Amino acid sequence: MTVLTVPMAEAGPAGISRRTRVLRRLRRNPLAVVSFLVLALAAIVALLSPWIAPHDVQQTDFAHTFSPPGTPGHFLGTDDLGRDVLSRIMLGARASLLVALLAVGTSLIIGVPLGLAAGYFRSWDAVISRFTDLLLAFPFLIMAVGLAAIRGASLTNAAVAIGIAQIPGVIRVVRSDTLRLKSLDFVAAAVVDGASDLWVLARHVLPNATSVILVQATVAIPAAILGEAVLSFLGLGIQPPAPSLGTMLASAQQFAARAPWAAVLPGVVIMGLALAFNVFGDALRDALDPKGDRR
């Protein structure tokens, strides 16, 4: 069997690999650099938070409740139980990112094969597309809340619920790109050369759909972060006393007038993480756009 060259591996006019061109475009985009640095810092803090958090997240101090930000020993103040807000935000961000990664991983593991099958096999398209339309009939958060309520409240169940709710979006994106790739000459040449359908999908279609899948993942992660915050806020996600940005917002809402920082700071972290992922996703999409080679 003749091995065909996949366009993704081709070098540019000056002999520069595509990976090098993508990295160069990202470095030239100030928003991409800033958002990447924010995400890298958040990932490092989340990974090391159990060891670098200044206080035990369960440690209470009823003599120093609602201490304002800047209090010695409590940089971001304390909550209604005297627990350190900074430590709880660090562990809460860790939980949010973990749920987001598990949810997006679940949606990709299920959605990518279904999207490839729907786009490549016409007989499968009708069934998978109707299944996708059925899931899309339910709003994302409504479906996630319903699944979390059925399965019970926990970090794992929240991740699974959010991941299942994100499957339709993955299927549609991958199906659309598979239909585009299926019509290109190098796929037709592989079929004429006698390659099996699985070989074509694994060797030619999937590698060239990787960029679309990566962009979809960066878009799905902020939605998963917001979904985890909503589920935890409603009591269907991570359960107290484990720290979560959503539970911090829920517990702080009744004290918003007395200690606004206890609610504002977790909200700012949620907004910052979601915004950084969205900005980096947009920059990554532009960097992966092959039309950029002609600009």
Side-chain angles (χ1 to χ4, degrees), residues 25 49 70 101 104 106 109 165 195 228 245 254 262 280 295:
R25 292 177 193 167
S49 57
L101 292 177
V104 173
T106 300
I109 290 174
E228 184 277 327
L245 298 177
Q254 57 183 320
F280 186 75
R295 294 174 185 172

Side-chain angles (χ1 to χ4, degrees), residues 35 39 214-215 218-219 276-286:
S35 60
L39 295 177
L214 287 176
V215 172
T218 58
V219 173
F277 272 111
N278 277 319
V279 171
F280 186 75
D282 289 341
L284 183 62
R285 179 193 59 200
D286 295 339

Side-chain angles (χ1 to χ4, degrees), residues 209-225:
T210 302
S211 59
V212 173
I213 295 172
L214 287 176
V215 172
Q216 178 64 22
T218 58
V219 173
I221 287 177
I225 292 174

Side-chain angles (χ1 to χ4, degrees), residues 1-289:
M1 182 182 293
T2 304
V3 178
L4 299 176
T5 302
V6 183
M8 186 177 182
E10 292 179 353
I16 302 175
S17 67
R18 185 183 183 188
R19 179 181 301 177
T20 302
R21 297 199 306 273
V22 170
L23 292 176
R24 181 176 297 176
R25 292 177 193 167
L26 289 174
R27 288 197 299 266
R28 291 176 178 174
N29 188 336
L31 290 177
V33 174
V34 172
S35 60
F36 176 79
L37 292 177
V38 170
L39 295 177
L41 178 61
I44 293 173
V45 171
L47 184 64
L48 301 179
S49 57
W51 299 277
I52 65 176
H55 295 276
D56 183 355
V57 293
Q58 308 300 343
Q59 180 181 352
T60 60
D61 185 0
F62 295 104
H64 298 89
T65 58
F66 297 121
S67 297
T71 300
H74 299 286
F75 181 70
L76 295 183
T78 60
D79 61 8
D80 57 310
L81 298 179
R83 297 172 297 189
D84 184 63
V85 173
L86 175 59
S87 299
R88 293 184 64 79
I89 285 179
M90 293 170 66
L91 271 295
R94 173 188 175 92
S96 295
L97 291 175
L98 179 59
V99 169
L101 292 177
L102 291 175
V104 173
T106 300
S107 65
L108 293 180
I109 290 174
I110 299 175
V112 170
L114 291 178
L116 290 172
Y120 193 82
F121 302 105
R122 179 171 297 180
S123 58
W124 290 27
D125 187 21
V127 176
I128 296 176
S129 295
R130 298 296 79 75
F131 169 73
T132 304
D133 293 338
L134 177 63
L135 293 180
L136 287 173
F138 300 92
F140 168 76
L141 287 178
I142 298 298
M143 181 181 296
V145 169
L147 291 172
I150 293 172
R151 292 180 53 87
S154 69
L155 184 149
T156 302
N157 289 343
V160 172
I162 296 172
I164 293 175
Q166 289 185 331
I167 289 176
V170 176
I171 292 177
R172 283 203 161 186
V173 169
V174 176
R175 173 185 177 274
S176 176
D177 204 50
T178 301
L179 288 172
R180 178 185 67 83
L181 293 169
K182 182 182 177 181
S183 63
L184 297 182
D185 293 339
F186 70 93
V187 174
V191 174
V192 172
D193 200 44
S196 65
D197 292 332
L198 290 179
W199 175 268
V200 172
L201 286 172
R203 186 61 184 260
H204 300 290
V205 177
L206 181 58
N208 286 280
T210 302
S211 59
V212 173
I213 295 172
L214 287 176
V215 172
Q216 178 64 22
T218 58
V219 173
I221 287 177
I225 292 174
L226 295 175
E228 184 277 327
V230 171
L231 291 179
S232 296
F233 183 87
L234 297 175
L236 298 173
I238 301 171
Q239 295 299 293
S244 166
L245 298 177
T247 55
M248 291 179 69
L249 287 174
S251 61
Q253 63 175 336
Q254 57 183 320
F255 309 109
R258 180 178 178 183
W261 60 87
V264 171
L265 294 175
V268 169
V269 173
I270 294 173
M271 182 185 68
L273 288 175
L275 181 61
F277 272 111
N278 277 319
V279 171
F280 186 75
D282 289 341
L284 183 62
R285 179 193 59 200
D286 295 339
L288 291 170
D289 187 359

